[in-house]
Amino acid sequence: TTYSNGGLGAEGPETTETDSSGTGGMRKSLEGSGSTPNDIVHLKRRVGLFSGVALIVGTMIGSGIFVSPSGLLVRTGSVGVSFLIWLACGMLSLLGALAYAELGTMNTSSGAEYAYFMDAFGAPPAFLFSWVSTLVLKPSQMAIICLSFAQYAVEAFVSECDPPSAVVKMVALVAIVMILFVNCYSVNLGMAVQNIFTAAKLVAVLIVICGGAYKLFQGNTQHLQNAFTGPTPSLGAIATAFYTGLWAYDGWNNLNYVTEEIRNPSKNLPRSIIIGIPLVTLCYALINVSYLAAMSPTEMVESEAVAVTFGNRILGAMAWLMPLSVTISTFGSANGTLFAAGRLCFAASREGHLLDILSYVHVRRLTPAPGLIFHSLIAAAMVLYGTIDSLIDFFSFTAWIFYGGAMLALLVMRYTKPNYPRPYKVPIIIPVLVLVISSYLVVAPIIDKPQIEYLYAVFFILAGLIFYVPFVKLGLTPKFMEKVTLFLQLLLEVVPTSTMAM
Ligand code: ARG
């Protein structure tokens, strides 16, 4: 029983390999002999209502609320409009998530959009989703969060001037490497980091809210008055302001990626959504008020790291607490994002939709190392060549094409599968509304300010088809790929999970 816990289970022995060379499993897989196929990952139903809520809240609260408020204020030009957009983003996330609750209770396999596109539109769109999410969406999430982490970590040391961007990028790269190490080292370590850091993040939120309340009771309400004075933003500016705000709320669909692990999903998935998202919306609204209780809108716009400025104003000798808690929160978020990314990569490549090597697992550590390394490399490139704001726009644009696609999938399935059991059914107006808004979010910025990046994103999505036809549909594998796979297997000591039951 060398690999009793074959696959990516979070529990169980981590180092069960007794063969010190670690090549036992490797040799087997390379020769492809003597191994019985394992029923790979046995995902236990471990997620109840509480962990469901934690999974949603813990993913949603990351870097955004500590970084985006300034950007949103710049884009909208007034405190009032930006506050309304914060609330609207929360509302939109809730409506989107309710529609996902119908999708997730109807099709209870993990993988969210991937599974729903497969049901509603067939394999090519599902492939395009996995193509874009492994190559763009997940790595850009990772890059944005690590850049925010770095900004706060560096800001703590150079408080009153802008930190040099080269230093910020280096620190972001260090963060990626550290998180990669944690997740390649062991699944249990990754989970532990996630839990500890989620708790710390909630403390950071509470500190900000309490500090703000204290300031308000002292009578610092001047920045909340005349909230709507300012230039009227254009429709395109509002859409990009939404991108900034929606980044802070991203992760509202996170529970749908792990539906297979939820206990009693038809009850707990909708319930977790209904509790989790309004909770986050409430926190974000209160945090925004807190920031304005401590600084003027102009100061907020000028601040590179708004939560640090807030800490300097309110916490006195304890001001160091703020950058510390934000770095902890973002580090945790990045860890969770890579964790999920590894799993998505793993699932899609197992279906034959991505390179085989990406679904392989380390022989002793049982972690999906190739997928994790692959994501980290792309994220590192994004850190080097992008900025937080450009990456957020790029991310949101691409992500909302797929969120809109999921709404379309729901509507299509109401017609094509009318009698399919739907334990939770949303009023049809909800997906229609979210579909309309997501179309607006995708189209408005292009019309308002055409940028070549948007075109690249669309080309990139469609370019997936060039790979889909020969490699997935026709199943061709170029000869040299076998050699590359073999080389990487030896280098990384990874094997297919199907060879791991012994
Ligand atoms: N909302 C998070 C933040 O503000 C980002 C979440 C990234 N998305 C994800 N599904 N992991 O940093």
Side-chain angles (χ1 to χ4, degrees):
T1 56
T2 320
Y3 298 106
S4 51
N5 187 32
L8 306 181
E11 292 139 24
E14 299 200 345
T15 313
T16 44
E17 171 68 85
T18 42
D19 168 10
S20 64
S21 73
T23 53
M26 184 87 79
R27 210 177 302 121
K28 260 201 157 67
S29 89
L30 297 183
E31 288 162 6
S33 63
S35 55
T36 43
N38 182 16
D39 33 354
I40 316 174
V41 192
H42 264 304
L43 299 167
K44 293 202 194 88
R45 292 199 181 272
R46 277 181 288 124
V47 179
L49 181 62
F50 187 80
S51 349
V53 174
L55 252 166
I56 292 180
V57 174
T59 312
M60 287 175 75
I61 303 179
S63 61
I65 189 61
F66 304 112
V67 178
S68 307
S70 317
L72 226 149
L73 206 52
V74 173
R75 288 179 164 175
T76 56
S78 77
V79 171
V81 177
S82 89
F83 194 73
L84 288 183
I85 290 187
W86 276 105
L87 294 183
C89 289
M91 199 63 204
L92 180 60
S93 311
L94 180 61
L95 296 182
L98 288 177
Y100 268 62
E102 172 172 328
L103 289 164
T105 49
M106 199 180 149
N107 176 343
T108 52
S109 45
S110 290
E113 292 87 355
Y114 182 76
Y116 315 145
F117 288 1
M118 207 78 168
D119 270 1
F121 314 128
F127 167 79
L128 285 189
F129 171 75
S130 64
W131 156 263
V132 175
S133 47
T134 29
L135 288 174
V136 178
L137 294 180
K138 289 285 163 198
S140 62
Q141 285 173 348
M142 181 78 183
I144 299 166
I145 305 173
C146 286
L147 278 170
S148 312
F149 164 87
Q151 198 171 43
Y152 271 89
V154 175
E155 188 92 10
F157 297 98
V158 289
S159 51
E160 286 311 326
C161 65
D162 285 355
S165 93
V167 177
V168 171
K169 285 180 190 268
M170 292 319 289
V171 174
L173 291 181
V174 172
I176 292 181
V177 172
M178 270 162 32
I179 293 161
L180 175 63
F181 176 79
V182 164
N183 284 278
C184 285
Y185 189 78
S186 95
V187 176
N188 284 348
L189 183 62
M191 293 280 270
V193 166
Q194 193 56 24
N195 292 342
I196 296 167
F197 284 62
T198 299
K201 150 181 347 194
L202 290 175
V203 173
V205 168
L206 267 180
I207 295 176
V208 176
I209 294 177
C210 294
Y214 173 72
K215 271 279 180 198
L216 283 184
F217 284 123
Q218 281 187 331
N220 282 10
T221 54
Q222 67 275 26
H223 304 312
L224 300 172
Q225 285 146 13
N226 303 325
F228 287 93
T229 45
T232 320
S234 72
L235 277 183
I238 291 192
T240 49
F242 262 100
Y243 282 176
T244 312
L246 284 169
W247 164 254
Y249 285 96
D250 198 68
W252 50 261
N253 59 351
N254 211 39
L255 204 50
N256 285 64
Y257 287 96
V258 296
T259 327
E260 282 164 35
E261 287 155 87
I262 307 176
R263 261 185 251 125
N264 195 356
S266 56
K267 289 226 165 53
N268 283 332
L269 179 64
R271 278 184 193 160
S272 308
I273 286 170
I274 290 164
I275 298 172
I277 298 170
L279 187 72
V280 173
T281 311
L282 181 72
C283 288
Y284 285 6
L286 292 177
I287 291 177
N288 270 292
V289 173
S290 294
Y291 287 154
L292 286 166
M295 66 192 96
S296 72
T298 321
E299 287 170 312
M300 206 159 136
V301 167
E302 278 165 6
S303 162
E304 273 286 312
V306 55
V308 171
T309 314
F310 176 87
N312 291 342
R313 296 287 160 79
I314 294 222
L315 299 176
M318 303 288 277
W320 53 268
L321 251 178
M322 224 46 248
L324 182 71
S325 19
V326 180
T327 45
I328 289 175
S329 159
T330 43
F331 191 86
S333 248
N335 180 69
T337 300
L338 189 68
F339 191 92
R343 172 174 282 176
L344 183 109
C345 206
F346 176 78
S349 44
R350 200 177 50 188
E351 296 288 323
H353 273 183
L354 293 171
L355 293 177
D356 285 347
I357 183 86
L358 296 180
S359 68
Y360 291 4
V361 170
H362 191 273
V363 280
R364 275 162 285 125
R365 305 250 129 240
L366 303 178
T367 51
L372 297 173
I373 295 173
F374 182 71
H375 274 109
S376 303
L377 286 175
I378 304 178
M382 289 179 168
V383 161
L384 287 178
Y385 296 107
T387 62
I388 293 184
D389 286 330
S390 66
L391 283 170
I392 286 182
D393 288 349
F394 190 61
F395 166 81
S396 303
F397 175 78
T398 320
W400 279 90
I401 293 178
F402 288 108
Y403 296 156
M407 298 301 127
L408 201 61
L410 190 157
L411 296 173
V412 165
M413 284 191 286
R414 285 279 179 103
Y415 286 98
T416 55
K417 301 183 197 297
N419 301 322
Y420 219 81
R422 288 178 173 79
Y424 176 84
K425 203 167 174 178
V426 280
I428 192 101
I429 181 73
I430 290 185
V432 171
L433 195 69
V434 178
L435 179 60
V436 171
I437 298 176
S438 50
S439 316
Y440 162 73
L441 286 176
V442 169
V443 173
I446 304 183
I447 293 177
D448 188 61
K449 205 167 96 195
Q451 264 174 307
I452 193 77
E453 281 82 0
Y454 296 130
L455 205 61
Y456 288 159
V458 172
F459 275 145
F460 184 81
I461 297 175
L462 296 178
L465 289 176
I466 300 174
F467 288 84
Y468 178 75
V469 175
F471 300 125
V472 180
K473 183 109 183 122
L474 303 177
L476 304 175
T477 330
K479 261 269 164 302
F480 73 92
M481 267 320 289
E482 276 168 32
K483 289 216 175 70
V484 173
T485 306
L486 195 67
F487 173 75
L488 289 175
Q489 266 199 288
L490 290 166
L491 181 73
L492 302 173
E493 295 186 81
V494 293
V495 293
T497 44
S498 56
T499 63
M500 292 178 72
M502 278 163 257

